[in-house]
Amino acid sequence: MKNNTSYQADSIKVLKGLEAVKKRPGMYIGDTDDGTGLHHMVYEVIDNSIDEALAGYCKNINVKINSDETITIRDDGRGIPVDMHKGEKKSAAEVIMTQLHAGGKFDHDSYKVSGGLHGVGVSVVNALSEKLKLEINRDGKKYFIEFANGTAKSALKTIGKSKESGTQITFLPSKEIFSSTKFNGKTIIKRIRELAFLNKGIKITFNDLNQKKEKELEFKYDGGILEFVEFLNEKKEKIKNKNGNDLFKRPAYLEGKKENIEIECSLKWNAGYSEDLLAYTNNINQKDGGTHVLGFRSALTRVINKYANEHNLLKKNKLAIAGDDIKEGLSCVLSIKIPDPKFSSQTKDKLVSSEVRTIVETVINEKLSIWFDQNPSIARIVLAKIIQAALARDVARKARENVRRKGALELSGLPGKLADCQIGKQEGTELFIVEGDSAGGSAKQGRNRSNQAVLPLRGKILNTYVEELNVKKNGNKLTDYRTKALSKMISSNEIVTLINALGLDPKSQEIDLKDLRYGKIIIMTDADVDGSHIRALLLTFFNNKPFNKLIEHGYVYLAQPPLFKINKGTKSIYIKDEKELENFILQNNKVFKKIKRGSKDFQKFLDKEKSQMSIQRFKGLGEMNPEELWNTTLDPETRNLLQVQYSKDLKKDQSLIHTLMGNDVALRKDFITSNAINVKNLDI
């Protein structure tokens, strides 16, 4: 038995507050009406026992639904600390149960890794319970304390001697918080089985005293996640070898450790078409995936493509294997253990720790390559299945393209550089017009393929401004002039490419919006001066008739990619432009309140602050990795789009466009000269 010296009252760090939990319980445990939040309470307590097991102090956990609608979770770990907490003047046990951010999870000497809900788990359970009883066996004594609605009825007291060690918590959820407080045995069993798979060698027992026949179930898996994958495949059709037996005698098992991150992965393929991938961080399932899943998928695709190329399995079919082909029939459990994981929300549905992706990718790439080399007969049959999936996908794609948006295809076909989306209707789809192949590559990888298409344009397009103002003054026929202007436009390959991608007829004097292939046309150029110029040229094109109809009906938008990235520890902050950067610095520094904005001293403080910050200036969208581009510019949940609209004074709008984009150089020079004094932070 390990000693308890490193886990005492001074291990418990406190960051206060508990009323917020009762006010907004959904932020901490999820839905309080559909049962998910209720059972999340149970999981939080069990997770504390699992954390003791991960630290090497617990081997047995018991979960019991009692006949009085309470539930009891007991473990044989060290037991919650009972000595007085110096800062709080209470027992450490009471501090843990009543302070929101209090626990050994903040102290790395106590827990190297933890699944606990950032140290708020058990106090949240207490806050949302009508009553909670805590019994602690530690240091030869038995201790007891009882709570009502999160408040201790009395101080922790000694109630006897004990030869055991561990913690037992019994609680009754609050009927004022939850629509139903009845626990579902099957739901709890599913989580218990999951935890037993993820932590090999730990025994978890379960008993429901409300059942007619009382029966204790035991879950213990010495094979860990390897047995988990077998369990997932129990009822699925197996891939057979030549003898008619399961191709996989046992699933592949990969493990490795790098930079304090432990990685376990087990996988096999079955004869089905669906994927079953479960990803965990410190025993918590991420149903929305995250950086560990991205690293795994990237490594898997790379290894399989490498193996297929080395064995000349792709040349005769002229195919490229995609991630979707590999997913067919894949069953996989990916489990990582990491200190201080970062999640997108309190309920940990998505892992966002950026460093994890590269580490997982490196370990899986190395270990899976070795496994493929050691199991060539299995690898070849799996590759044959994947190639078959790729062939089927290719055939389906060609068939789909033959019938999809026929009107648009009859013109001159879709441009080859267009990465189209999967949805075949205008509603809900988006076309991103980007500058260059580099930005196009990041956008294609980062987008949502279902509804987002990407069209990279090469360089600066032709200035297509039509001089209608001068034509009217000179009395020329406007229709003839527009015809000549349109002919000039379609002499440019890039503009024809754009018109075709939109699904419109390049030669038509009028457009039918029903032919338009996308619900949103989004101009996404770099945040620098060149990007602004390209954006202006594209807007000039859309301002011309007949394409101005797209602006009039609200189809044209401007993306707002960041120009700067500020690194603060492990956190990244994205800044749109120079003005926003300046405002960010001002908001975070009180010194500027004493200095007049725009003065020499102001600029000298400002420059000093910039020099001390870790600021990355993006030269272009191509410098952003696909995930960054998605999070900042593509994701409808987080991005900021500007809709292009005409003002109420249309004549004034057209006059300004004529000044800036027309052929009258003197007029443009006068405009620049008169407005130069207003320019700040000129980016040239």
Side-chain angles (χ1 to χ4, degrees), residues 365-410:
N365 186 64
E366 177 191 341
K367 303 296 181 180
L368 190 60
S369 295
I370 294 170
W371 187 88
F372 266 65
D373 290 337
Q374 292 175 343
N375 298 272
S377 58
I378 298 177
R380 278 186 170 274
I381 295 174
V382 168
L383 259 295
K385 173 182 168 61
I386 291 169
I387 290 170
Q388 195 64 38
L391 281 168
R393 176 178 55 83
D394 196 49
V395 169
R397 178 184 59 80
K398 289 175 181 175
R400 188 168 61 247
E401 285 182 356
N402 284 333
V403 297
R404 187 179 177 196
R405 297 169 173 154
K406 192 177 178 185
L409 290 168
E410 284 174 349

Side-chain angles (χ1 to χ4, degrees), residues 429-602:
T429 55
E430 303 176 340
L431 174 67
F432 286 87
I433 305 170
V434 302
E435 51 173 307
D437 293 333
S438 178
S442 287
K444 287 174 185 177
Q445 291 179 61
R447 67 185 169 130
N448 180 347
R449 293 172 184 268
S450 173
N451 73 316
Q452 293 180 332
V454 176
L455 178 67
L457 295 179
R458 189 169 295 170
K460 295 183 180 179
I461 68 165
L462 180 74
N463 181 356
T464 58
Y465 180 67
V466 176
E467 297 274 358
E468 291 195 4
L469 290 177
N470 285 339
V471 171
K472 287 177 181 177
K473 286 178 184 176
N474 297 330
N476 295 336
K477 288 184 179 180
L478 194 57
T479 304
D480 292 343
Y481 184 77
R482 282 181 185 156
T483 303
K484 290 178 182 177
L486 197 59
S487 298
K488 184 184 177 185
M489 280 185 213
I490 62 175
S491 68
S492 164
N493 289 332
E494 294 299 297
I495 290 172
V496 172
T497 295
L498 173 58
I499 297 171
N500 280 338
L502 295 172
L504 305 174
D505 185 351
K507 298 177 183 177
S508 177
Q509 291 283 349
E510 193 58 51
I511 62 174
D512 188 343
L513 292 176
K514 291 179 182 177
D515 294 334
L516 187 64
R517 304 178 71 240
Y518 305 98
K520 282 188 173 76
I521 302 161
I522 303 170
I523 299 171
M524 187 168 76
T525 56
D526 294 344
D528 60 9
V529 66
D530 280 330
S532 297
H533 190 194
I534 293 170
R535 186 164 62 243
L537 291 168
L538 284 165
L539 287 173
T540 302
F541 163 74
F542 283 116
N543 180 61
N544 291 322
K545 292 183 179 179
F547 305 107
N548 62 343
K549 204 172 182 180
L550 299 175
I551 295 178
E552 288 172 359
H553 288 81
Y555 284 95
V556 183
Y557 294 81
L558 301 179
Q560 299 288 286
L563 183 60
F564 300 102
K565 175 182 177 182
I566 299 175
N567 295 312
K568 294 188 76 176
T570 57
K571 185 180 178 184
S572 295
I573 299 165
Y574 296 91
I575 303 291
K576 178 187 167 185
D577 52 28
E578 289 279 1
K579 185 176 180 181
E580 192 174 299
L581 176 62
E582 186 174 300
N583 289 336
F584 175 82
I585 295 171
L586 299 188
Q587 288 170 4
N588 289 276
N589 199 315
K590 296 179 181 178
V591 175
F592 287 96
K593 291 182 179 179
K594 302 175 183 178
I595 307 170
K596 185 180 178 182
R597 192 163 187 162
S599 65
K600 288 183 179 179
D601 283 342
F602 178 90

Side-chain angles (χ1 to χ4, degrees), residues 118-253:
H118 299 313
V120 306
V122 76
S123 60
V124 167
V125 174
N126 191 21
L128 303 180
S129 295
E130 284 181 25
K131 62 179 180 179
L132 184 146
K133 295 179 180 179
L134 171 63
E135 189 178 290
I136 302 165
N137 293 297
R138 185 178 169 113
D139 303 327
K141 294 180 182 178
K142 187 184 291 289
Y143 300 87
F144 179 80
I145 186 170
E146 187 173 357
F147 302 86
N149 296 310
T151 304
K153 285 189 171 183
S154 59
L156 182 77
K157 57 187 175 183
T158 307
I159 59 171
K161 295 181 179 180
S162 176
K163 294 181 180 179
E164 300 174 347
S165 69
T167 303
Q168 177 177 298
I169 290 176
T170 301
F171 68 92
L172 177 66
S174 171
K175 291 181 177 63
E176 293 181 6
I177 300 290
F178 299 97
S179 300
S180 170
T181 57
K182 188 173 182 180
F183 294 107
N184 185 307
K186 289 182 180 178
T187 302
I188 294 171
I189 286 170
K190 182 182 176 184
R191 175 60 177 159
I192 287 173
R193 181 187 288 116
E194 190 176 54
L195 287 168
F197 277 131
L198 291 166
N199 301 275
K200 54 187 171 187
I202 294 173
K203 184 170 77 173
I204 309 177
T205 56
F206 173 78
N207 204 337
D208 187 349
L209 300 184
N210 292 313
Q211 298 299 313
K212 291 180 181 179
K213 289 185 179 180
E214 188 179 325
K215 183 182 178 183
E216 186 172 88
L217 301 176
E218 183 179 298
F219 302 91
K220 185 173 184 285
Y221 303 101
D222 293 325
I225 63 170
L226 192 144
E227 287 190 62
F228 199 169
V229 172
E230 291 285 41
F231 173 77
L232 294 174
N233 279 273
E234 271 181 2
K235 296 180 181 179
K236 294 178 180 176
E237 185 184 351
K238 311 290 189 291
I239 299 176
K240 304 290 178 65
N241 59 17
K242 292 179 181 179
N243 301 322
N245 299 318
D246 187 355
L247 176 67
F248 287 84
K249 291 181 180 178
R250 58 186 306 216
Y253 177 75

